[in-house]
Amino acid sequence: SPWGGVAMSLIQRAGGEDRAAVWIPPPLMNLIGVGLGVALDRLVWPMEVGALGGPAGVGLGAVLILLGVTANALAFVHFRRTGQDPKPWKPTPALVAQGIYRYSRNPMYVGMGLIQAGIGIATGVLWIAVMVVPVLAAVYFTAIRHEEAYLEKKFGQPYRQYKASVRRWL
């Protein structure tokens, strides 16, 4: 498959070290998305808030933020239980496939997206929420594809089985 060559080149680019070739902290992408959303709202074109204005938007935003924080906390707990560091550029000693990882291969990235969307909706700056899509695309290209190549190389068939049975996002 063409992905096999990509996996090898990504491992080689990481210097052959026991880690994924991730160089940019994924939460930084969400911060950039928030900043770009604010800039678009202020400098280019403010989106109409409509029915999401006021208490309804604050409530919906708060729910999304709470869901995102919960997803991140649950993922973090499973990482710590297996002695892992959640930083994607650190070595992965064990494949985590229990808890929230039974439903999403990337619950921390989903959680960060929910938090970002919640901030946008709660503040009425809808561009922040819209920026979740390009942010998740950027996270895919800067982190997820590198992580998946690393995990497939390190864990082989068990990771391929996990990948086949659990969705990347939700």
Side-chain angles (χ1 to χ4, degrees), residues 2 19 24 26 29 33 41 44 51 55 75 91 111 113 129 135 141 143 145 148 155:
R19 65 181 194 82
I24 301 170
M29 297 295 186
D41 186 72
V44 179
V135 162
F141 286 107
R145 71 186 182 128
E148 288 182 347
F155 297 109

Side-chain angles (χ1 to χ4, degrees), residues 8-129:
M8 286 308 296
S9 69
L10 293 174
I11 296 296
Q12 290 166 353
R13 250 189 274 156
E17 299 171 18
D18 182 20
R19 65 181 194 82
V22 177
W23 305 102
I24 301 170
L28 180 60
M29 297 295 186
N30 295 97
L31 290 175
I32 291 169
V34 170
L36 286 174
V38 170
L40 286 167
D41 186 72
R42 302 292 188 264
L43 303 173
V44 179
W45 177 51
M47 289 182 137
E48 290 296 321
V49 176
L52 289 178
V58 171
L60 177 58
V63 167
L64 292 175
I65 291 168
L66 182 61
L67 287 172
V69 168
T70 301
N72 282 324
L74 290 171
F76 189 80
V77 164
H78 285 290
F79 264 60
R80 288 299 181 204
R81 281 186 185 155
T82 58
Q84 300 191 56
D85 193 313
K87 295 179 196 91
W89 52 86
K90 296 286 190 175
T92 302
L95 188 58
V96 179
Q98 65 269 26
I100 195 167
Y101 286 91
R102 291 179 299 171
Y103 307 103
S104 172
R105 295 195 317 260
N106 297 289
M108 289 185 189
Y109 301 146
V110 171
M112 291 302 296
L114 287 169
I115 291 168
Q116 180 181 333
I119 290 168
I121 292 169
T123 61
V125 182
L126 298 184
W127 277 111
I128 294 172

